[in-house]
Amino acid sequence: MKVTAILLAAGQGTRMKSNLPKVLHLVAGKPMIWHALEAIKGSTTEKPVVVVGHGADEVKKYMSDSAQTVLQEPQLGTGHAVMQAESLLKGNTDLVVVCYADMPLLRGETLQKLVDLQRANKGPISILTVVADDPRGFGRILRNADGSVQAIVEEYVATPEQQLIKELNVGGYCFDANWLWDTLKRIPKNPKKGEYYLTDAIELAVQSGLSVQALVMDDVQETIGVNTRAHLAEVESAMRARINQQHMLSGVTMIDPASTYIEASVIIGKDTVIMPNTYIHGKTEIGEGNIIGPNSIIRDSKIGNRCKILSSVMEGALLDDDVDMGPFARLRKGAHLGNHVHMGNFGEVKDSYLADGVKMGHFSYIGNAQIGEDTNIGAGTITCNYDGEKKHPTEIGRDVFIGSDTMLVAPLKIGDGARTGAGSVVTKNIPEDTLVVGMPARAIKKLERKQK
Ligand code: UD1
Ligand code: MG
């Protein structure tokens, strides 16, 4: 059986007061519409159709080929929006799931239950409803004396008595496709707003003696639709709690989940401890047994196992195992720290590889460099990699000892076992096992290297 989702995303989102289309606002680091597309994946068999209107170009650009799109212009209501997908879908699907792109908390499992309900339904519609004290402006579900669904009445036209009804229309529907295409044509234009309401399809089914099934959801949170920035914050906080809960259930310790900000795409291994006030963003993958935070920001990075990251920032960086970093270390794009690297306070590394066992304790900048195993980078060392026009590489061998406050003027190669005296300004390559001092540094003696 073919099941296709239609995602409604054409509305203006006026109350967001934003230049950005509403469905592109981020929740847990991903546009709202990404969450909606994720949720429909499990219960549908075909590529979804997104109805776009306001900000259509931007929304289409974001989705590229993850969905088909149809343009709704002008926007004449939810029924009219669904109608726009008919030419694409007629004859190509058995069931149609309709939901809104501004409900990022709606779970895939819930939509799956809705589709299952409709598969078993002899009638043409199943809908999602919820019983809640706060009606949030949602349509009310009217039921017949026998408990069956009779109609949906929008809040602004509901009688005072109907307004008291606590069962609400969430905005998730599953339709028999053939019935839907025929019925959409019969939906009357709403006299007050001049729109075609999808919700009127329910009454049309009931009038024809066909059954409408309702799946009453238990989790009110899932039904929150975003219309304002206040709703956005509410959804963000609920999504954060949900993501954190999932990580905790799979073995991650969080000292204070409320101050732990992990985006939707992050992967974390078991026995990793996340300390408070830590932000883990983007495409980040973290292994097992790490201690991260407090006060750290990690974006688009990969971290091995048993690392410690204290009050530090990493972006586009890679840590192997047992790295000890911080406090106040900064790794920028292309930084790669090998096993057992120690990077202390106020260091910055960019586009560089520090091989296993490198120590860089304090106040250094390493850029466009390759550093060999067990080399020690003294406090205040700087790779002077930029001449105002170009970046130049620095290659430092293994077992090198760079004295405090050394300036390494790139391009430069420093041989294995070399040493620089404190305050050296190195402008020429240093051969293996050579001690250089001064400014500019010059060779003063040949060294004996300790055998390991
Ligand atoms: C709708 C329902 C209401 C339900 C509520 C849940 C109708 C008539 N009412 O009301 O019963 O309780 O959702 O949130 O359906 N959209 C389009 N094109 C349009 C109009 C809307 O794509 O022409 C999209 C919007 O972008 C939005 C969604 O459809 O994602 C819902 O539209 P909205 O105007 O917010 O409907 P509500 O008034 O909230
Ligand atoms: Mg709405």
Side-chain angles (χ1 to χ4, degrees), residues 251-311:
V252 175
T253 295
M254 285 181 195
I255 305 302
D256 180 24
S259 69
T260 302
Y261 302 81
I262 300 179
E263 287 185 353
S265 43
V266 172
I267 298 170
I268 309 178
K270 65 174 187 294
D271 292 323
T272 283
V273 178
I274 314 285
M275 308 289 258
N277 202 27
T278 291
Y279 299 73
I280 309 179
H281 289 174
K283 228 173 140 1
T284 293
E285 227 178 284
I286 299 176
E288 299 184 359
N290 298 285
I291 301 177
I292 300 188
N295 307 323
S296 294
I297 303 173
I298 297 166
R299 176 180 288 279
D300 298 328
S301 294
K302 205 167 169 199
I303 296 173
N305 304 311
R306 301 174 303 278
C307 296
K308 287 186 186 145
I309 300 171
L310 170 61
S311 298

Short mmCIF file of all heavy atoms in Angstrom, two decimals, residues 251-311:
data_model
loop_
_atom_site.label_atom_id
_atom_site.label_comp_id
_atom_site.label_asym_id
_atom_site.label_seq_id
_atom_site.Cartn_x
_atom_site.Cartn_y
_atom_site.Cartn_z
N GLY A 251 22.90 5.65 28.01
CA GLY A 251 24.12 5.48 28.80
C GLY A 251 25.01 6.70 28.96
O GLY A 251 26.15 6.59 29.37
N VAL A 252 24.49 7.87 28.63
CA VAL A 252 25.27 9.10 28.81
C VAL A 252 24.86 9.74 30.14
O VAL A 252 23.66 9.84 30.42
CB VAL A 252 25.00 10.07 27.64
CG1 VAL A 252 25.69 11.41 27.85
CG2 VAL A 252 25.41 9.44 26.32
N THR A 253 25.84 10.16 30.94
CA THR A 253 25.49 10.84 32.19
C THR A 253 25.41 12.34 31.93
O THR A 253 26.28 12.91 31.29
CB THR A 253 26.58 10.58 33.25
OG1 THR A 253 26.57 9.20 33.57
CG2 THR A 253 26.33 11.39 34.53
N MET A 254 24.37 12.97 32.47
CA MET A 254 24.26 14.43 32.40
C MET A 254 24.08 14.94 33.81
O MET A 254 23.12 14.57 34.49
CB MET A 254 23.07 14.85 31.55
CG MET A 254 23.35 14.65 30.11
SD MET A 254 22.00 15.15 29.07
CE MET A 254 22.53 14.34 27.56
N ILE A 255 24.98 15.80 34.24
CA ILE A 255 24.90 16.31 35.60
C ILE A 255 23.68 17.22 35.73
O ILE A 255 22.99 17.21 36.74
CB ILE A 255 26.18 17.09 35.97
CG1 ILE A 255 27.43 16.22 35.74
CG2 ILE A 255 26.13 17.64 37.38
CD1 ILE A 255 27.47 14.93 36.51
N ASP A 256 23.42 18.01 34.69
CA ASP A 256 22.28 18.92 34.73
C ASP A 256 21.67 19.04 33.33
O ASP A 256 22.02 19.93 32.56
CB ASP A 256 22.74 20.30 35.22
CG ASP A 256 21.57 21.27 35.28
OD1 ASP A 256 20.42 20.81 35.38
OD2 ASP A 256 21.83 22.49 35.20
N PRO A 257 20.75 18.12 32.99
CA PRO A 257 20.18 18.12 31.64
C PRO A 257 19.61 19.49 31.24
O PRO A 257 19.65 19.86 30.07
CB PRO A 257 19.07 17.08 31.71
CG PRO A 257 19.37 16.24 32.88
CD PRO A 257 20.19 17.06 33.84
N ALA A 258 19.11 20.24 32.22
CA ALA A 258 18.47 21.52 31.87
C ALA A 258 19.48 22.51 31.32
O ALA A 258 19.12 23.43 30.59
CB ALA A 258 17.78 22.10 33.10
N SER A 259 20.75 22.37 31.63
CA SER A 259 21.74 23.29 31.08
C SER A 259 22.68 22.56 30.12
O SER A 259 23.84 22.93 29.97
CB SER A 259 22.53 23.97 32.20
OG SER A 259 23.36 23.04 32.84
N THR A 260 22.17 21.54 29.48
CA THR A 260 22.96 20.78 28.51
C THR A 260 22.26 20.88 27.17
O THR A 260 21.10 20.49 27.05
CB THR A 260 23.05 19.31 28.97
OG1 THR A 260 23.64 19.29 30.27
CG2 THR A 260 23.88 18.47 28.03
N TYR A 261 22.93 21.43 26.18
CA TYR A 261 22.28 21.79 24.92
C TYR A 261 22.85 20.95 23.79
O TYR A 261 23.93 21.23 23.28
CB TYR A 261 22.51 23.28 24.63
CG TYR A 261 21.99 24.17 25.73
CD1 TYR A 261 22.73 24.38 26.89
CD2 TYR A 261 20.74 24.77 25.63
CE1 TYR A 261 22.25 25.17 27.92
CE2 TYR A 261 20.24 25.56 26.65
CZ TYR A 261 21.00 25.76 27.79
OH TYR A 261 20.52 26.53 28.80
N ILE A 262 22.14 19.91 23.44
CA ILE A 262 22.65 18.98 22.44
C ILE A 262 21.73 19.00 21.23
O ILE A 262 20.52 18.80 21.36
CB ILE A 262 22.75 17.56 23.02
CG1 ILE A 262 23.69 17.59 24.23
CG2 ILE A 262 23.25 16.57 21.98
CD1 ILE A 262 23.85 16.28 24.91
N GLU A 263 22.30 19.23 20.07
CA GLU A 263 21.46 19.29 18.88
C GLU A 263 21.10 17.90 18.38
O GLU A 263 21.73 16.90 18.71
CB GLU A 263 22.17 20.10 17.79
CG GLU A 263 22.16 21.59 18.13
CD GLU A 263 22.73 22.46 17.05
OE1 GLU A 263 23.28 21.95 16.06
OE2 GLU A 263 22.64 23.69 17.22
N ALA A 264 20.07 17.91 17.49
CA ALA A 264 19.43 16.66 17.09
C ALA A 264 20.37 15.65 16.45
O ALA A 264 20.16 14.45 16.56
CB ALA A 264 18.29 16.99 16.14
N SER A 265 21.42 16.12 15.76
CA SER A 265 22.22 15.18 14.97
C SER A 265 23.43 14.61 15.71
O SER A 265 24.23 13.90 15.12
CB SER A 265 22.70 15.92 13.72
OG SER A 265 23.13 17.21 14.10
N VAL A 266 23.56 14.91 17.00
CA VAL A 266 24.78 14.53 17.73
C VAL A 266 24.72 13.06 18.19
O VAL A 266 23.68 12.58 18.62
CB VAL A 266 24.95 15.47 18.95
CG1 VAL A 266 26.08 15.01 19.85
CG2 VAL A 266 25.17 16.91 18.47
N ILE A 267 25.88 12.40 18.12
CA ILE A 267 25.97 11.01 18.58
C ILE A 267 26.93 10.98 19.78
O ILE A 267 28.01 11.56 19.71
CB ILE A 267 26.53 10.11 17.45
CG1 ILE A 267 25.58 10.13 16.26
CG2 ILE A 267 26.79 8.69 17.93
CD1 ILE A 267 26.13 9.48 15.01
N ILE A 268 26.52 10.31 20.86
CA ILE A 268 27.39 10.24 22.05
C ILE A 268 27.44 8.80 22.56
O ILE A 268 26.41 8.15 22.74
CB ILE A 268 26.86 11.14 23.19
CG1 ILE A 268 26.58 12.56 22.66
CG2 ILE A 268 27.87 11.22 24.33
CD1 ILE A 268 26.01 13.51 23.69
N GLY A 269 28.65 8.32 22.84
CA GLY A 269 28.83 6.95 23.31
C GLY A 269 28.57 6.82 24.81
O GLY A 269 28.52 7.82 25.53
N LYS A 270 28.47 5.58 25.27
CA LYS A 270 28.08 5.38 26.66
C LYS A 270 29.22 5.73 27.63
O LYS A 270 30.39 5.77 27.27
CB LYS A 270 27.57 3.97 26.88
CG LYS A 270 28.56 2.86 26.70
CD LYS A 270 27.86 1.56 27.10
CE LYS A 270 28.79 0.39 27.13
NZ LYS A 270 29.34 0.00 25.85
N ASP A 271 28.82 5.99 28.86
CA ASP A 271 29.73 6.38 29.94
C ASP A 271 30.46 7.69 29.68
O ASP A 271 31.43 8.01 30.36
CB ASP A 271 30.75 5.26 30.24
CG ASP A 271 30.04 4.07 30.86
OD1 ASP A 271 29.10 4.28 31.64
OD2 ASP A 271 30.41 2.92 30.53
N THR A 272 30.01 8.43 28.72
CA THR A 272 30.51 9.81 28.60
C THR A 272 29.69 10.65 29.56
O THR A 272 28.49 10.43 29.73
CB THR A 272 30.38 10.28 27.13
OG1 THR A 272 31.44 9.67 26.39
CG2 THR A 272 30.48 11.79 26.99
N VAL A 273 30.38 11.59 30.23
CA VAL A 273 29.70 12.46 31.19
C VAL A 273 29.67 13.87 30.60
O VAL A 273 30.71 14.40 30.20
CB VAL A 273 30.47 12.49 32.53
CG1 VAL A 273 29.79 13.43 33.52
CG2 VAL A 273 30.58 11.08 33.11
N ILE A 274 28.49 14.44 30.55
CA ILE A 274 28.37 15.82 30.05
C ILE A 274 28.09 16.72 31.26
O ILE A 274 27.08 16.55 31.94
CB ILE A 274 27.23 15.97 29.02
CG1 ILE A 274 27.25 14.85 27.98
CG2 ILE A 274 27.28 17.34 28.37
CD1 ILE A 274 28.30 14.92 26.94
N MET A 275 29.00 17.65 31.50
CA MET A 275 28.84 18.56 32.62
C MET A 275 27.99 19.76 32.20
O MET A 275 27.79 20.01 31.03
CB MET A 275 30.23 19.05 33.08
CG MET A 275 31.21 17.93 33.35
SD MET A 275 30.80 17.02 34.82
CE MET A 275 31.96 17.73 35.91
N PRO A 276 27.51 20.52 33.19
CA PRO A 276 26.57 21.61 32.88
C PRO A 276 27.13 22.67 31.91
O PRO A 276 28.33 22.81 31.76
CB PRO A 276 26.31 22.25 34.24
CG PRO A 276 26.58 21.16 35.21
CD PRO A 276 27.69 20.35 34.63
N ASN A 277 26.19 23.38 31.36
CA ASN A 277 26.49 24.50 30.47
C ASN A 277 27.37 24.09 29.30
O ASN A 277 28.35 24.76 28.97
CB ASN A 277 27.12 25.65 31.25
CG ASN A 277 26.96 26.95 30.51
OD1 ASN A 277 26.01 27.13 29.73
ND2 ASN A 277 27.88 27.87 30.72
N THR A 278 27.03 23.01 28.70
CA THR A 278 27.79 22.50 27.56
C THR A 278 26.88 22.45 26.34
O THR A 278 25.72 22.07 26.44
CB THR A 278 28.37 21.12 27.91
OG1 THR A 278 29.37 21.31 28.90
CG2 THR A 278 28.97 20.43 26.71
N TYR A 279 27.43 22.89 25.21
CA TYR A 279 26.69 22.96 23.95
C TYR A 279 27.36 22.01 22.97
O TYR A 279 28.55 22.16 22.70
CB TYR A 279 26.75 24.38 23.37
CG TYR A 279 26.13 25.42 24.27
CD1 TYR A 279 26.77 25.83 25.44
CD2 TYR A 279 24.91 26.00 23.96
CE1 TYR A 279 26.20 26.78 26.27
CE2 TYR A 279 24.32 26.95 24.79
CZ TYR A 279 24.98 27.33 25.95
OH TYR A 279 24.41 28.26 26.77
N ILE A 280 26.62 21.07 22.46
CA ILE A 280 27.19 20.15 21.48
C ILE A 280 26.34 20.23 20.22
O ILE A 280 25.16 19.87 20.23
CB ILE A 280 27.26 18.71 22.03
CG1 ILE A 280 27.95 18.73 23.40
CG2 ILE A 280 28.03 17.82 21.07
CD1 ILE A 280 28.05 17.38 24.07
N HIS A 281 26.94 20.74 19.16
CA HIS A 281 26.16 21.13 18.00
C HIS A 281 26.59 20.41 16.72
O HIS A 281 27.68 19.85 16.64
CB HIS A 281 26.34 22.63 17.76
CG HIS A 281 25.67 23.48 18.79
ND1 HIS A 281 25.80 24.84 18.83
CD2 HIS A 281 24.86 23.15 19.82
CE1 HIS A 281 25.09 25.31 19.85
NE2 HIS A 281 24.52 24.32 20.46
N GLY A 282 25.70 20.52 15.74
CA GLY A 282 26.04 20.10 14.37
C GLY A 282 26.29 18.61 14.27
O GLY A 282 25.70 17.80 14.98
N LYS A 283 27.18 18.28 13.35
CA LYS A 283 27.47 16.88 13.08
C LYS A 283 28.62 16.47 13.98
O LYS A 283 29.77 16.42 13.55
CB LYS A 283 27.88 16.76 11.61
CG LYS A 283 27.18 15.64 10.88
CD LYS A 283 27.52 15.70 9.41
CE LYS A 283 27.75 14.37 8.73
NZ LYS A 283 27.65 13.13 9.37
N THR A 284 28.31 16.23 15.22
CA THR A 284 29.37 15.89 16.18
C THR A 284 29.19 14.45 16.62
O THR A 284 28.08 14.00 16.89
CB THR A 284 29.31 16.83 17.39
OG1 THR A 284 29.65 18.15 16.95
CG2 THR A 284 30.29 16.42 18.48
N GLU A 285 30.32 13.75 16.71
CA GLU A 285 30.29 12.35 17.14
C GLU A 285 31.25 12.20 18.30
O GLU A 285 32.43 12.56 18.18
CB GLU A 285 30.78 11.48 15.98
CG GLU A 285 29.92 10.30 15.70
CD GLU A 285 30.46 9.54 14.51
OE1 GLU A 285 30.25 10.02 13.37
OE2 GLU A 285 31.09 8.52 14.73
N ILE A 286 30.76 11.68 19.40
CA ILE A 286 31.58 11.57 20.61
C ILE A 286 31.60 10.11 21.05
O ILE A 286 30.56 9.46 21.11
CB ILE A 286 30.98 12.47 21.72
CG1 ILE A 286 30.99 13.92 21.24
CG2 ILE A 286 31.73 12.31 23.03
CD1 ILE A 286 30.36 14.91 22.20
N GLY A 287 32.78 9.62 21.39
CA GLY A 287 32.93 8.22 21.78
C GLY A 287 32.55 7.97 23.23
O GLY A 287 31.74 8.68 23.81
N GLU A 288 33.17 6.95 23.82
CA GLU A 288 32.79 6.50 25.16
C GLU A 288 33.74 7.02 26.24
O GLU A 288 34.92 7.25 25.98
CB GLU A 288 32.79 4.97 25.18
CG GLU A 288 31.79 4.38 24.21
CD GLU A 288 31.70 2.86 24.29
OE1 GLU A 288 32.43 2.25 25.10
OE2 GLU A 288 30.88 2.30 23.54
N GLY A 289 33.19 7.15 27.43
CA GLY A 289 34.01 7.43 28.61
C GLY A 289 34.67 8.80 28.64
O GLY A 289 35.65 9.00 29.35
N ASN A 290 34.14 9.75 27.91
CA ASN A 290 34.71 11.11 27.92
C ASN A 290 34.10 11.94 29.05
O ASN A 290 33.00 11.64 29.52
CB ASN A 290 34.41 11.81 26.60
CG ASN A 290 35.02 11.10 25.41
OD1 ASN A 290 36.21 11.16 25.18
ND2 ASN A 290 34.19 10.38 24.66
N ILE A 291 34.80 12.97 29.46
CA ILE A 291 34.20 13.95 30.38
C ILE A 291 34.22 15.29 29.65
O ILE A 291 35.29 15.80 29.31
CB ILE A 291 34.99 14.04 31.69
CG1 ILE A 291 35.02 12.66 32.36
CG2 ILE A 291 34.36 15.08 32.63
CD1 ILE A 291 35.83 12.60 33.63
N ILE A 292 33.04 15.82 29.40
CA ILE A 292 32.95 17.03 28.58
C ILE A 292 32.29 18.14 29.37
O ILE A 292 31.21 17.97 29.92
CB ILE A 292 32.17 16.72 27.30
CG1 ILE A 292 32.94 15.62 26.57
CG2 ILE A 292 32.01 17.97 26.45
CD1 ILE A 292 32.48 15.29 25.23
N GLY A 293 32.97 19.28 29.45
CA GLY A 293 32.46 20.41 30.21
C GLY A 293 33.00 20.40 31.62
O GLY A 293 33.88 19.58 31.93
N PRO A 294 32.51 21.29 32.48
CA PRO A 294 31.46 22.26 32.19
C PRO A 294 31.95 23.35 31.23
O PRO A 294 33.13 23.44 30.94
CB PRO A 294 31.15 22.86 33.57
CG PRO A 294 32.39 22.65 34.36
CD PRO A 294 33.00 21.38 33.86
N ASN A 295 30.97 24.13 30.76
CA ASN A 295 31.24 25.34 29.97
C ASN A 295 32.02 25.06 28.70
O ASN A 295 33.06 25.68 28.46
CB ASN A 295 32.00 26.37 30.81
CG ASN A 295 31.28 26.66 32.10
OD1 ASN A 295 30.06 26.70 32.14
ND2 ASN A 295 32.03 26.82 33.17
N SER A 296 31.56 24.13 27.91
CA SER A 296 32.27 23.85 26.66
C SER A 296 31.32 23.94 25.48
O SER A 296 30.12 23.73 25.63
CB SER A 296 32.90 22.46 26.71
OG SER A 296 33.91 22.45 27.70
N ILE A 297 31.89 24.28 24.32
CA ILE A 297 31.10 24.37 23.10
C ILE A 297 31.77 23.52 22.03
O ILE A 297 32.96 23.71 21.75
CB ILE A 297 31.02 25.84 22.60
CG1 ILE A 297 30.44 26.74 23.69
CG2 ILE A 297 30.19 25.93 21.32
CD1 ILE A 297 30.47 28.23 23.35
N ILE A 298 31.04 22.59 21.49
CA ILE A 298 31.63 21.66 20.52
C ILE A 298 30.74 21.64 19.30
O ILE A 298 29.53 21.44 19.42
CB ILE A 298 31.73 20.26 21.12
CG1 ILE A 298 32.69 20.30 22.31
CG2 ILE A 298 32.22 19.24 20.09
CD1 ILE A 298 32.64 19.09 23.19
N ARG A 299 31.32 21.89 18.14
CA ARG A 299 30.51 21.91 16.92
C ARG A 299 31.21 21.11 15.81
O ARG A 299 32.42 21.23 15.64
CB ARG A 299 30.28 23.35 16.46
CG ARG A 299 29.53 23.46 15.13
CD ARG A 299 29.31 24.90 14.71
NE ARG A 299 28.31 25.53 15.55
CZ ARG A 299 26.99 25.41 15.40
NH1 ARG A 299 26.50 24.65 14.44
NH2 ARG A 299 26.15 26.04 16.20
N ASP A 300 30.43 20.30 15.10
CA ASP A 300 30.94 19.57 13.93
C ASP A 300 32.30 18.93 14.20
O ASP A 300 33.25 19.10 13.42
CB ASP A 300 31.06 20.52 12.72
CG ASP A 300 29.71 21.08 12.31
OD1 ASP A 300 28.71 20.37 12.47
OD2 ASP A 300 29.67 22.23 11.83
N SER A 301 32.41 18.21 15.28
CA SER A 301 33.70 17.65 15.66
C SER A 301 33.57 16.17 15.97
O SER A 301 32.47 15.65 16.18
CB SER A 301 34.24 18.38 16.90
OG SER A 301 34.52 19.72 16.57
N LYS A 302 34.73 15.51 16.04
CA LYS A 302 34.74 14.09 16.37
C LYS A 302 35.67 13.88 17.55
O LYS A 302 36.81 14.36 17.53
CB LYS A 302 35.21 13.32 15.14
CG LYS A 302 34.71 11.93 15.14
CD LYS A 302 34.89 11.24 13.82
CE LYS A 302 34.58 9.77 14.08
NZ LYS A 302 35.07 8.86 13.12
N ILE A 303 35.18 13.18 18.55
CA ILE A 303 35.96 12.96 19.77
C ILE A 303 36.01 11.46 20.01
O ILE A 303 34.99 10.77 19.97
CB ILE A 303 35.27 13.68 20.95
CG1 ILE A 303 35.30 15.20 20.69
CG2 ILE A 303 35.93 13.33 22.27
CD1 ILE A 303 34.51 16.01 21.69
N GLY A 304 37.20 10.96 20.29
CA GLY A 304 37.38 9.52 20.52
C GLY A 304 36.88 9.11 21.88
O GLY A 304 35.79 9.49 22.32
N ASN A 305 37.67 8.31 22.59
CA ASN A 305 37.26 7.79 23.90
C ASN A 305 38.15 8.36 25.00
O ASN A 305 39.31 8.68 24.77
CB ASN A 305 37.37 6.26 23.89
CG ASN A 305 36.55 5.65 22.76
OD1 ASN A 305 35.38 5.99 22.59
ND2 ASN A 305 37.16 4.79 21.98
N ARG A 306 37.59 8.43 26.19
CA ARG A 306 38.31 8.82 27.41
C ARG A 306 38.99 10.19 27.33
O ARG A 306 40.05 10.39 27.92
CB ARG A 306 39.34 7.75 27.80
CG ARG A 306 38.75 6.36 28.06
CD ARG A 306 39.83 5.34 28.30
NE ARG A 306 40.76 5.26 27.20
CZ ARG A 306 40.54 4.56 26.06
NH1 ARG A 306 39.41 3.88 25.91
NH2 ARG A 306 41.44 4.56 25.11
N CYS A 307 38.45 11.11 26.60
CA CYS A 307 39.04 12.45 26.55
C CYS A 307 38.44 13.31 27.64
O CYS A 307 37.33 13.03 28.12
CB CYS A 307 38.76 13.10 25.20
SG CYS A 307 39.53 12.22 23.83
N LYS A 308 39.19 14.36 28.04
CA LYS A 308 38.65 15.32 29.00
C LYS A 308 38.69 16.70 28.35
O LYS A 308 39.74 17.14 27.91
CB LYS A 308 39.54 15.36 30.25
CG LYS A 308 39.40 14.14 31.10
CD LYS A 308 40.19 14.29 32.38
CE LYS A 308 40.14 12.98 33.13
NZ LYS A 308 41.36 12.68 33.85
N ILE A 309 37.55 17.34 28.34
CA ILE A 309 37.47 18.66 27.72
C ILE A 309 36.86 19.60 28.73
O ILE A 309 35.69 19.49 29.07
CB ILE A 309 36.59 18.60 26.46
CG1 ILE A 309 37.20 17.61 25.47
CG2 ILE A 309 36.44 19.98 25.83
CD1 ILE A 309 36.34 17.30 24.30
N LEU A 310 37.65 20.49 29.24
CA LEU A 310 37.19 21.38 30.31
C LEU A 310 37.12 22.82 29.79
O LEU A 310 38.12 23.34 29.27
CB LEU A 310 38.17 21.28 31.49
CG LEU A 310 38.04 22.29 32.61
CD1 LEU A 310 36.67 22.19 33.28
CD2 LEU A 310 39.14 22.07 33.65
N SER A 311 35.98 23.44 29.91
CA SER A 311 35.79 24.85 29.53
C SER A 311 36.52 25.19 28.24
O SER A 311 37.39 26.06 28.21
CB SER A 311 36.30 25.76 30.64
OG SER A 311 35.56 25.53 31.80
#
